[in-house]
Amino acid sequence: MEKSPLKNQFLFTKENYTFLLIGLAVVALGFILMSGGGSEAPNEFNEAALFSMRRIRIAPTVVLIGFGITIYSILKSPKGTTAGTTFPEDQPIKNKQ
């Protein structure tokens, strides 16, 4: 039997995973910033706490930035590769006759 020319390769590099974890942490931070706003008494409505700048503007922006970082980490190609290169398993099969 011949050795297969296919190599075990990870799809992402360490840098991709680092960006992915940073993006997920930023998304989590955004959701933490959105939380809260409850009141002690159920009959009270604290409009200032519920509709604060942090919950309405800053937190959703932080979440969207986190999603952007996560998408970047997925689409980023590893160093040393160029667009258009293919993996060995994508090559056409050659018939030996």
Side-chain angles (χ1 to χ4, degrees):
M1 284 198 125
E2 292 182 29
K3 282 190 173 183
S4 174
L6 301 178
K7 294 181 180 179
N8 290 334
Q9 298 177 6
F10 287 112
L11 186 58
F12 297 129
T13 61
K14 183 179 179 181
E15 189 177 10
N16 291 81
Y17 286 115
T18 304
F19 277 119
L20 182 67
L21 290 176
I22 290 170
L24 292 176
V26 171
V27 169
L29 175 68
F31 279 110
I32 289 170
L33 289 174
M34 258 189 258
S35 67
S39 65
E40 305 267 335
N43 294 333
E44 289 182 21
F45 181 73
N46 189 356
E47 185 176 343
L50 188 61
F51 299 117
S52 68
M53 181 72 161
R54 181 186 68 162
R55 288 193 182 94
I56 298 298
R57 301 282 180 175
I58 297 172
T61 304
V62 170
V63 170
L64 289 176
I65 290 170
F67 285 146
I69 294 170
T70 305
I71 291 169
Y72 172 76
S73 73
I74 293 170
L75 296 178
K76 183 180 179 317
S77 62
K79 289 181 182 177
T81 61
T82 59
T85 57
T86 59
F87 290 102
E89 59 266 15
D90 294 335
Q91 300 297 326
I93 299 173
K94 297 177 184 176
N95 291 331
K96 294 181 183 179
Q97 292 181 355

Coordinates of all heavy atoms in Angstrom, one line a residue:
M1 N 0.8 -1.2 0.0 CA 0.0 0.0 0.0 C 0.9 1.2 0.0 O 1.9 1.3 0.7 CB -0.9 0.1 1.2 CG -2.0 -0.9 1.3 SD -3.2 -0.3 2.5 CE -4.6 -0.1 1.5
E2 N 0.4 2.2 -0.8 CA 1.1 3.5 -0.8 C 0.7 4.4 0.4 O -0.4 4.2 0.9 CB 0.8 4.2 -2.1 CG 1.3 3.6 -3.3 CD 1.0 4.4 -4.5 OE1 0.8 5.6 -4.4 OE2 0.8 3.9 -5.6
K3 N 1.6 5.2 0.8 CA 1.2 6.2 1.8 C 0.4 7.3 1.1 O 0.6 7.7 0.0 CB 2.5 6.9 2.4 CG 3.2 6.0 3.4 CD 4.2 6.8 4.1 CE 4.8 6.0 5.2 NZ 5.7 6.8 6.0
S4 N -0.7 7.7 1.8 CA -1.5 8.7 1.3 C -0.8 10.0 1.3 O -0.2 10.4 2.3 CB -2.8 8.7 2.2 OG -3.6 9.8 1.8
P5 N -1.0 10.8 0.3 CA -0.3 12.1 0.3 C -1.1 13.2 1.2 O -0.6 14.3 1.3 CB -0.4 12.6 -1.2 CG -1.6 11.9 -1.7 CD -1.6 10.6 -1.0
L6 N -2.2 12.7 1.7 CA -3.0 13.6 2.5 C -2.3 13.8 3.9 O -1.9 12.8 4.5 CB -4.4 13.1 2.7 CG -5.2 12.9 1.5 CD1 -6.6 12.3 1.8 CD2 -5.4 14.2 0.7
K7 N -2.3 15.0 4.4 CA -1.7 15.3 5.7 C -2.9 15.7 6.6 O -3.8 16.3 6.2 CB -0.7 16.4 5.6 CG 0.5 16.1 4.9 CD 1.5 17.2 4.9 CE 2.7 16.9 4.1 NZ 3.7 18.1 4.1
N8 N -2.7 15.3 7.9 CA -3.7 15.8 8.8 C -3.4 17.2 9.1 O -2.3 17.6 9.7 CB -3.6 15.0 10.1 CG -4.1 13.6 9.9 OD1 -4.9 13.3 9.0 ND2 -3.6 12.6 10.7
Q9 N -4.3 18.1 8.7 CA -4.1 19.5 8.9 C -5.3 20.0 9.7 O -6.5 19.6 9.5 CB -4.1 20.2 7.6 CG -2.9 19.9 6.7 CD -3.0 20.6 5.4 OE1 -3.8 21.4 5.2 NE2 -2.1 20.2 4.5
F10 N -5.0 20.9 10.6 CA -6.1 21.6 11.3 C -6.6 22.7 10.4 O -5.9 23.3 9.6 CB -5.6 22.3 12.6 CG -5.4 21.3 13.7 CD1 -4.1 21.0 14.1 CD2 -6.5 20.6 14.3 CE1 -3.9 20.1 15.1 CE2 -6.2 19.7 15.3 CZ -5.0 19.4 15.7
L11 N -7.9 23.0 10.4 CA -8.5 24.0 9.6 C -8.1 25.4 10.0 O -7.9 26.2 9.2 CB -10.0 23.8 9.6 CG -10.8 24.7 8.7 CD1 -10.4 24.5 7.2 CD2 -12.3 24.5 8.9
F12 N -8.0 25.6 11.3 CA -7.6 26.9 11.9 C -6.2 26.8 12.5 O -5.8 25.7 13.0 CB -8.6 27.4 12.9 CG -10.0 27.6 12.4 CD1 -11.1 27.0 13.0 CD2 -10.2 28.4 11.2 CE1 -12.3 27.3 12.5 CE2 -11.4 28.6 10.7 CZ -12.5 28.0 11.3
T13 N -5.6 27.9 12.6 CA -4.3 28.0 13.3 C -4.5 28.5 14.7 O -5.6 28.8 15.1 CB -3.3 28.9 12.6 OG1 -3.9 30.3 12.6 CG2 -3.0 28.5 11.2
K14 N -3.4 28.5 15.5 CA -3.6 29.0 16.9 C -4.0 30.5 16.9 O -4.8 30.9 17.8 CB -2.2 28.9 17.6 CG -2.2 29.3 19.0 CD -0.8 29.2 19.6 CE -0.9 29.6 21.1 NZ 0.4 29.5 21.7
E15 N -3.6 31.3 15.9 CA -4.0 32.7 15.8 C -5.5 32.8 15.6 O -6.2 33.6 16.2 CB -3.3 33.3 14.7 CG -3.4 34.8 14.6 CD -2.6 35.5 13.5 OE1 -2.0 34.7 12.7 OE2 -2.5 36.7 13.5
N16 N -6.1 31.9 14.7 CA -7.5 31.9 14.5 C -8.3 31.6 15.8 O -9.3 32.2 16.1 CB -7.9 30.9 13.4 CG -7.4 31.2 12.1 OD1 -6.2 31.0 11.8 ND2 -8.3 31.8 11.3
Y17 N -7.8 30.6 16.5 CA -8.5 30.2 17.8 C -8.4 31.3 18.8 O -9.3 31.6 19.6 CB -8.0 28.9 18.3 CG -8.4 27.7 17.6 CD1 -7.6 26.9 16.8 CD2 -9.8 27.4 17.5 CE1 -8.0 25.8 16.1 CE2 -10.2 26.3 16.8 CZ -9.3 25.5 16.1 OH -9.8 24.4 15.4
T18 N -7.3 32.0 18.8 CA -7.1 33.2 19.7 C -8.1 34.3 19.4 O -8.8 34.8 20.3 CB -5.7 33.7 19.6 OG1 -4.7 32.7 19.9 CG2 -5.5 34.8 20.6
F19 N -8.2 34.6 18.1 CA -9.2 35.6 17.7 C -10.6 35.1 18.1 O -11.5 35.9 18.5 CB -9.1 36.0 16.3 CG -8.1 37.0 15.9 CD1 -7.0 36.7 15.1 CD2 -8.1 38.3 16.5 CE1 -6.0 37.6 14.8 CE2 -7.2 39.2 16.2 CZ -6.1 38.9 15.4
L20 N -10.9 33.9 17.9 CA -12.2 33.3 18.1 C -12.6 33.4 19.6 O -13.7 33.9 20.0 CB -12.3 31.8 17.7 CG -13.6 31.1 17.9 CD1 -14.7 31.7 16.9 CD2 -13.5 29.7 17.7
L21 N -11.6 33.1 20.5 CA -11.9 33.2 21.9 C -12.0 34.7 22.4 O -12.9 35.0 23.2 CB -10.8 32.6 22.7 CG -10.7 31.0 22.6 CD1 -9.5 30.5 23.3 CD2 -12.0 30.4 23.2
I22 N -11.2 35.6 21.8 CA -11.4 37.0 22.1 C -12.8 37.5 21.6 O -13.4 38.2 22.4 CB -10.2 37.8 21.4 CG1 -8.9 37.5 22.1 CG2 -10.6 39.3 21.4 CD1 -7.7 38.1 21.3
G23 N -13.2 37.1 20.5 CA -14.5 37.5 20.0 C -15.6 37.0 20.9 O -16.6 37.7 21.2
L24 N -15.5 35.7 21.3 CA -16.5 35.2 22.2 C -16.5 35.9 23.5 O -17.6 36.1 24.1 CB -16.3 33.7 22.4 CG -16.6 32.8 21.1 CD1 -16.3 31.4 21.4 CD2 -18.0 33.0 20.7
A25 N -15.4 36.3 24.0 CA -15.3 37.0 25.3 C -15.9 38.4 25.2 O -16.6 38.9 26.1 CB -13.8 37.1 25.7
V26 N -15.7 39.0 24.0 CA -16.3 40.4 23.8 C -17.8 40.3 23.7 O -18.6 41.1 24.2 CB -15.7 41.0 22.5 CG1 -16.4 42.3 22.1 CG2 -14.2 41.3 22.7
V27 N -18.3 39.2 23.0 CA -19.8 39.0 23.0 C -20.3 38.8 24.4 O -21.4 39.4 24.8 CB -20.1 37.8 22.1 CG1 -21.6 37.4 22.2 CG2 -19.8 38.1 20.6
A28 N -19.7 38.0 25.2 CA -20.1 37.7 26.6 C -20.1 39.0 27.4 O -21.0 39.3 28.1 CB -19.2 36.7 27.2
L29 N -19.1 39.8 27.2 CA -19.0 41.1 27.9 C -20.2 42.0 27.5 O -20.8 42.7 28.3 CB -17.7 41.8 27.6 CG -17.6 43.2 28.1 CD1 -17.5 43.2 29.6 CD2 -16.4 43.9 27.5
G30 N -20.6 42.0 26.2 CA -21.7 42.8 25.8 C -23.0 42.3 26.4 O -23.8 43.1 26.8
F31 N -23.2 41.0 26.5 CA -24.4 40.5 27.2 C -24.4 40.8 28.7 O -25.4 41.0 29.3 CB -24.6 39.0 26.9 CG -25.2 38.7 25.6 CD1 -24.4 38.2 24.6 CD2 -26.5 39.1 25.3 CE1 -25.0 37.9 23.3 CE2 -27.1 38.8 24.1 CZ -26.3 38.2 23.1
I32 N -23.2 40.8 29.3 CA -23.1 41.2 30.7 C -23.5 42.6 30.9 O -24.2 43.0 31.9 CB -21.7 40.8 31.3 CG1 -21.5 39.3 31.4 CG2 -21.5 41.5 32.6 CD1 -20.1 38.9 31.7
L33 N -23.0 43.5 30.0 CA -23.4 44.9 30.1 C -24.9 45.1 29.9 O -25.5 46.1 30.4 CB -22.6 45.7 29.0 CG -21.1 45.9 29.2 CD1 -20.5 46.6 28.0 CD2 -20.9 46.7 30.5
M34 N -25.5 44.2 29.1 CA -27.0 44.4 28.9 C -27.8 43.9 30.1 O -29.0 44.3 30.2 CB -27.4 43.5 27.7 CG -27.6 44.3 26.4 SD -28.3 43.3 25.2 CE -26.9 43.0 24.2
S35 N -27.3 43.1 30.9 CA -28.1 42.5 32.0 C -28.4 43.5 33.1 O -27.8 44.6 33.1 CB -27.3 41.3 32.6 OG -26.1 41.8 33.3
G36 N -29.3 43.2 34.0 CA -29.6 44.0 35.1 C -30.9 44.9 34.8 O -31.6 44.6 33.9
G37 N -31.1 45.9 35.6 CA -32.2 46.8 35.4 C -33.4 46.4 36.1 O -34.5 47.0 36.0
G38 N -33.3 45.3 36.9 CA -34.5 44.9 37.7 C -34.7 45.8 38.9 O -33.8 46.5 39.3
S39 N -35.9 45.9 39.4 CA -36.1 46.7 40.6 C -36.5 45.8 41.8 O -36.9 44.7 41.6 CB -37.3 47.7 40.3 OG -38.5 47.0 40.1
E40 N -36.3 46.4 42.9 CA -36.6 45.7 44.2 C -38.1 45.4 44.3 O -38.5 44.3 44.7 CB -36.1 46.5 45.3 CG -34.6 46.9 45.2 CD -33.7 45.9 46.0 OE1 -34.2 45.2 46.9 OE2 -32.6 45.9 45.6
A41 N -38.9 46.4 44.0 CA -40.4 46.2 44.1 C -40.9 46.0 42.7 O -40.6 46.7 41.8 CB -41.0 47.5 44.7
P42 N -41.8 45.0 42.6 CA -42.3 44.7 41.3 C -43.3 45.7 40.7 O -43.6 45.8 39.5 CB -43.1 43.3 41.5 CG -43.3 43.2 42.9 CD -42.2 44.0 43.6
N43 N -43.8 46.6 41.6 CA -44.7 47.6 41.1 C -44.0 48.9 40.7 O -44.6 49.8 40.2 CB -45.7 48.0 42.2 CG -46.6 46.8 42.5 OD1 -46.9 46.0 41.6 ND2 -47.1 46.7 43.7
E44 N -42.7 49.0 40.8 CA -41.9 50.1 40.4 C -41.4 49.9 39.0 O -40.9 48.8 38.7 CB -40.8 50.4 41.4 CG -41.2 50.9 42.7 CD -40.0 51.2 43.6 OE1 -38.9 51.4 43.1 OE2 -40.2 51.2 44.8
F45 N -41.3 51.0 38.3 CA -40.7 51.0 36.9 C -39.6 52.0 36.9 O -39.9 53.2 37.0 CB -41.7 51.2 35.8 CG -41.2 51.2 34.5 CD1 -40.8 49.9 33.9 CD2 -41.0 52.3 33.7 CE1 -40.3 49.9 32.6 CE2 -40.4 52.3 32.5 CZ -40.1 51.0 31.9
N46 N -38.4 51.6 36.9 CA -37.2 52.5 36.9 C -36.8 52.7 35.5 O -36.0 51.9 34.9 CB -36.1 51.9 37.8 CG -35.0 52.9 38.0 OD1 -35.0 54.0 37.4 ND2 -34.0 52.5 38.8
E47 N -37.3 53.7 34.8 CA -37.0 54.0 33.4 C -35.5 54.3 33.2 O -34.9 53.9 32.2 CB -37.9 55.1 32.9 CG -37.7 55.4 31.5 CD -38.7 56.4 31.0 OE1 -39.7 56.8 31.7 OE2 -38.4 57.0 29.9
A48 N -34.9 55.0 34.1 CA -33.5 55.4 34.0 C -32.6 54.2 34.0 O -31.6 54.2 33.2 CB -33.1 56.4 35.1
A49 N -32.9 53.2 34.8 CA -32.0 52.0 34.8 C -32.3 51.1 33.6 O -31.3 50.5 33.1 CB -32.3 51.3 36.1
L50 N -33.5 51.0 33.2 CA -33.8 50.1 32.1 C -33.4 50.7 30.7 O -32.8 49.9 29.9 CB -35.3 49.9 32.1 CG -35.8 48.8 31.1 CD1 -35.2 47.5 31.5 CD2 -37.3 48.7 31.2
F51 N -33.6 52.0 30.5 CA -33.2 52.5 29.2 C -32.0 53.4 29.3 O -31.9 54.4 28.7 CB -34.4 53.4 28.7 CG -35.7 52.6 28.5 CD1 -36.8 52.9 29.2 CD2 -35.7 51.6 27.6 CE1 -38.0 52.2 29.0 CE2 -36.8 50.9 27.4 CZ -38.0 51.2 28.1
S52 N -31.0 52.9 30.0 CA -29.7 53.6 30.2 C -28.9 53.5 28.9 O -29.1 52.6 28.0 CB -28.9 53.1 31.3 OG -28.5 51.8 31.1
M53 N -28.0 54.4 28.7 CA -27.1 54.5 27.6 C -26.3 53.1 27.4 O -26.0 52.6 26.3 CB -26.1 55.6 27.7 CG -25.2 55.8 26.5 SD -26.1 56.4 25.1 CE -24.8 57.0 24.2
R54 N -25.9 52.6 28.6 CA -25.1 51.3 28.6 C -25.9 50.2 28.0 O -25.4 49.4 27.2 CB -24.7 51.0 30.0 CG -23.9 49.8 30.1 CD -23.6 49.4 31.5 NE -24.9 49.0 32.1 CZ -25.0 48.3 33.2 NH1 -23.9 47.9 33.9 NH2 -26.1 47.9 33.7
R55 N -27.2 50.1 28.3 CA -28.0 48.9 27.9 C -28.5 49.1 26.4 O -28.7 48.1 25.7 CB -29.1 48.7 28.8 CG -28.7 48.1 30.1 CD -29.8 47.6 30.9 NE -29.3 47.1 32.2 CZ -29.3 47.8 33.3 NH1 -29.7 49.1 33.3 NH2 -28.8 47.3 34.4
I56 N -28.8 50.3 26.0 CA -29.4 50.6 24.8 C -28.4 50.8 23.6 O -28.6 50.3 22.5 CB -30.3 51.8 24.9 CG1 -31.5 51.5 25.9 CG2 -30.9 52.1 23.5 CD1 -32.4 50.4 25.5
R57 N -27.3 51.4 23.9 CA -26.3 51.8 22.9 C -25.0 51.0 23.0 O -24.5 50.4 22.0 CB -26.0 53.3 22.9 CG -27.2 54.1 22.7 CD -27.6 54.2 21.3 NE -28.7 55.1 21.2 CZ -29.3 55.4 20.1 NH1 -28.7 55.0 19.0 NH2 -30.3 56.2 20.0
I58 N -24.4 51.0 24.1 CA -23.0 50.5 24.3 C -23.0 48.9 24.2 O -22.2 48.4 23.5 CB -22.4 51.0 25.6 CG1 -22.2 52.5 25.5 CG2 -21.0 50.3 25.8 CD1 -21.8 53.1 26.8
A59 N -23.9 48.3 25.0 CA -23.9 46.8 25.0 C -24.1 46.2 23.6 O -23.4 45.3 23.2 CB -24.8 46.3 26.1
P60 N -25.2 46.6 22.9 CA -25.4 46.0 21.6 C -24.2 46.3 20.6 O -23.9 45.4 19.8 CB -26.7 46.7 21.1 CG -27.4 47.1 22.3 CD -26.3 47.5 23.3
T61 N -23.6 47.4 20.7 CA -22.4 47.7 19.9 C -21.3 46.8 20.2 O -20.6 46.3 19.3 CB -22.0 49.2 20.1 OG1 -23.1 50.0 19.8 CG2 -20.8 49.5 19.2
V62 N -21.1 46.5 21.5 CA -20.0 45.6 22.0 C -20.3 44.2 21.4 O -19.4 43.5 21.0 CB -19.8 45.6 23.5 CG1 -18.9 44.5 24.0 CG2 -19.3 47.0 23.9
V63 N -21.5 43.8 21.5 CA -21.9 42.4 21.0 C -21.6 42.3 19.5 O -21.1 41.4 19.0 CB -23.4 42.1 21.3 CG1 -23.8 40.9 20.6 CG2 -23.6 42.0 22.8
L64 N -22.0 43.4 18.7 CA -21.8 43.4 17.3 C -20.3 43.4 17.0 O -19.8 42.7 16.0 CB -22.4 44.5 16.6 CG -24.0 44.5 16.5 CD1 -24.5 45.8 16.0 CD2 -24.4 43.3 15.8
I65 N -19.5 44.1 17.7 CA -18.0 44.1 17.5 C -17.5 42.7 17.8 O -16.6 42.2 17.1 CB -17.3 45.1 18.4 CG1 -17.7 46.5 17.9 CG2 -15.8 44.9 18.5 CD1 -17.3 47.7 18.8
G66 N -18.0 42.0 18.9 CA -17.6 40.6 19.2 C -17.9 39.7 18.0 O -17.1 38.8 17.7
F67 N -19.1 39.8 17.5 CA -19.5 39.0 16.3 C -18.6 39.3 15.1 O -18.2 38.3 14.4 CB -21.0 39.2 15.9 CG -22.0 38.6 16.8 CD1 -23.2 39.2 17.1 CD2 -21.7 37.4 17.5 CE1 -24.1 38.7 17.9 CE2 -22.6 36.8 18.3 CZ -23.8 37.5 18.5
G68 N -18.2 40.5 14.9 CA -17.3 40.9 13.8 C -15.9 40.2 14.0 O -15.3 39.7 13.1
I69 N -15.4 40.2 15.3 CA -14.1 39.6 15.6 C -14.2 38.1 15.3 O -13.3 37.5 14.8 CB -13.7 39.9 17.0 CG1 -13.4 41.4 17.2 CG2 -12.5 39.1 17.4 CD1 -13.2 41.8 18.6
T70 N -15.3 37.5 15.7 CA -15.5 36.0 15.6 C -15.6 35.7 14.1 O -15.0 34.7 13.6 CB -16.8 35.6 16.3 OG1 -16.8 36.0 17.6 CG2 -17.0 34.1 16.2
I71 N -16.3 36.5 13.3 CA -16.4 36.2 11.8 C -15.0 36.4 11.2 O -14.6 35.6 10.3 CB -17.4 37.1 11.2 CG1 -18.8 36.7 11.6 CG2 -17.3 37.1 9.7 CD1 -19.9 37.7 11.3
Y72 N -14.3 37.4 11.6 CA -12.9 37.6 11.1 C -12.0 36.4 11.4 O -11.2 35.9 10.6 CB -12.3 38.9 11.7 CG -10.8 39.0 11.4 CD1 -10.4 39.5 10.2 CD2 -9.8 38.8 12.4 CE1 -9.1 39.6 9.8 CE2 -8.5 38.9 12.1 CZ -8.1 39.3 10.8 OH -6.8 39.5 10.5
S73 N -12.1 35.8 12.6 CA -11.3 34.7 13.0 C -11.6 33.5 12.1 O -10.8 32.7 11.9 CB -11.5 34.3 14.5 OG -12.8 33.7 14.7
I74 N -12.9 33.3 11.7 CA -13.3 32.2 10.9 C -12.8 32.4 9.4 O -12.3 31.5 8.8 CB -14.8 32.0 10.9 CG1 -15.2 31.6 12.3 CG2 -15.2 31.0 9.9 CD1 -16.7 31.6 12.5
L75 N -12.9 33.6 8.9 CA -12.5 33.9 7.5 C -11.0 34.1 7.3 O -10.5 34.0 6.2 CB -13.3 35.1 7.0 CG -14.8 34.9 7.0 CD1 -15.4 36.2 6.5 CD2 -15.2 33.8 6.1
K76 N -10.2 34.4 8.4 CA -8.8 34.6 8.2 C -8.1 33.4 7.8 O -8.2 32.3 8.4 CB -8.3 35.1 9.6 CG -6.8 35.5 9.5 CD -6.4 35.9 10.9 CE -4.9 36.3 10.9 NZ -4.0 35.4 10.2
S77 N -7.3 33.5 6.7 CA -6.6 32.4 6.2 C -5.2 32.4 6.9 O -4.7 33.4 7.3 CB -6.4 32.5 4.7 OG -5.6 33.6 4.4
P78 N -4.7 31.2 7.1 CA -3.4 31.0 7.8 C -2.3 31.7 7.0 O -2.3 31.8 5.8 CB -3.2 29.5 7.9 CG -4.4 28.9 7.6 CD -5.3 29.9 6.8
K79 N -1.2 32.1 7.7 CA 0.0 32.7 7.1 C 0.6 31.7 6.1 O 0.6 30.5 6.4 CB 1.0 33.1 8.1 CG 0.6 34.3 8.9 CD 1.6 34.7 9.9 CE 1.2 35.9 10.7 NZ 2.2 36.2 11.7
G80 N 1.1 32.2 5.0 CA 1.8 31.3 4.1 C 0.9 30.7 3.0 O 1.3 30.0 2.2
T81 N -0.4 30.9 3.1 CA -1.3 30.4 2.1 C -1.9 31.5 1.3 O -2.0 32.6 1.8 CB -2.5 29.6 2.8 OG1 -3.2 30.5 3.6 CG2 -2.0 28.4 3.6
T82 N -2.2 31.2 0.1 CA -2.8 32.2 -0.7 C -4.2 31.8 -1.1 O -4.5 30.6 -1.1 CB -1.9 32.5 -2.0 OG1 -1.9 31.2 -2.7 CG2 -0.5 32.9 -1.7
A83 N -5.0 32.8 -1.6 CA -6.3 32.4 -2.0 C -6.2 31.6 -3.3 O -5.4 31.9 -4.2 CB -7.1 33.7 -2.3
G84 N -7.0 30.6 -3.4 CA -7.0 29.8 -4.6 C -6.2 28.5 -4.4 O -6.2 27.6 -5.2
T85 N -5.5 28.3 -3.3 CA -4.8 27.1 -3.1 C -5.8 26.1 -2.6 O -6.8 26.4 -1.9 CB -3.7 27.2 -2.0 OG1 -4.2 27.7 -0.8 CG2 -2.6 28.1 -2.5
T86 N -5.6 24.8 -2.9 CA -6.5 23.8 -2.5 C -5.9 22.8 -1.6 O -4.7 22.6 -1.6 CB -7.1 23.1 -3.8 OG1 -6.0 22.5 -4.5 CG2 -7.9 24.0 -4.7
F87 N -6.7 22.0 -0.9 CA -6.2 20.9 -0.1 C -6.0 19.7 -1.0 O -6.6 19.6 -2.1 CB -7.2 20.6 1.0 CG -7.3 21.7 2.0 CD1 -8.3 22.6 2.1 CD2 -6.3 21.7 3.0 CE1 -8.4 23.5 3.0 CE2 -6.4 22.7 4.0 CZ -7.4 23.6 4.0
P88 N -5.1 18.8 -0.6 CA -4.8 17.7 -1.5 C -6.1 16.8 -1.8 O -6.2 16.3 -2.9 CB -3.8 16.8 -0.7 CG -3.2 17.8 0.2 CD -4.2 18.9 0.5
E89 N -7.0 16.8 -0.9 CA -8.2 16.0 -1.1 C -9.2 16.6 -2.1 O -10.1 16.0 -2.6 CB -9.0 15.7 0.2 CG -9.4 17.0 0.9 CD -8.4 17.4 2.0 OE1 -7.3 17.0 2.0 OE2 -8.8 18.2 2.8
D90 N -8.9 17.9 -2.5 CA -9.7 18.6 -3.5 C -9.2 18.4 -4.9 O -9.8 18.8 -5.9 CB -9.7 20.1 -3.2 CG -10.5 20.4 -1.9 OD1 -11.4 19.6 -1.6 OD2 -10.2 21.5 -1.3
Q91 N -8.0 17.7 -5.0 CA -7.4 17.5 -6.3 C -8.2 16.3 -7.0 O -8.7 15.5 -6.4 CB -5.9 17.1 -6.2 CG -5.1 18.1 -5.5 CD -5.0 19.4 -6.3 OE1 -5.1 19.4 -7.5 NE2 -5.0 20.5 -5.6
P92 N -8.2 16.4 -8.3 CA -8.9 15.3 -9.1 C -8.2 14.0 -8.9 O -7.0 13.9 -8.7 CB -8.9 15.7 -10.5 CG -7.8 16.8 -10.6 CD -7.7 17.4 -9.3
I93 N -9.0 12.9 -8.9 CA -8.4 11.5 -8.7 C -7.9 11.1 -10.0 O -8.5 11.2 -11.1 CB -9.5 10.6 -8.2 CG1 -10.0 11.0 -6.9 CG2 -9.0 9.1 -8.1 CD1 -11.2 10.3 -6.4
K94 N -6.6 10.6 -10.0 CA -6.0 10.1 -11.2 C -6.1 8.6 -11.3 O -5.8 7.9 -10.3 CB -4.5 10.5 -11.2 CG -4.3 12.0 -11.2 CD -2.8 12.3 -11.1 CE -2.6 13.8 -11.0 NZ -1.2 14.1 -10.9
N95 N -6.6 8.1 -12.4 CA -6.7 6.7 -12.6 C -5.4 6.1 -13.1 O -4.8 6.6 -14.0 CB -7.8 6.4 -13.7 CG -9.2 6.7 -13.1 OD1 -9.4 6.6 -11.9 ND2 -10.1 7.0 -14.1
K96 N -5.0 5.1 -12.4 CA -3.7 4.4 -12.8 C -4.1 3.2 -13.7 O -4.8 2.3 -13.3 CB -3.0 3.9 -11.6 CG -2.5 5.0 -10.7 CD -1.7 4.5 -9.6 CE -1.2 5.6 -8.7 NZ -0.5 5.1 -7.5
Q97 N -3.7 3.2 -14.9 CA -4.0 2.1 -15.9 C -2.8 1.6 -16.5 O -1.8 2.2 -16.8 CB -5.0 2.6 -16.9 CG -6.3 2.9 -16.3 CD -7.3 3.3 -17.4 OE1 -7.0 3.5 -18.6 NE2 -8.6 3.5 -17.0

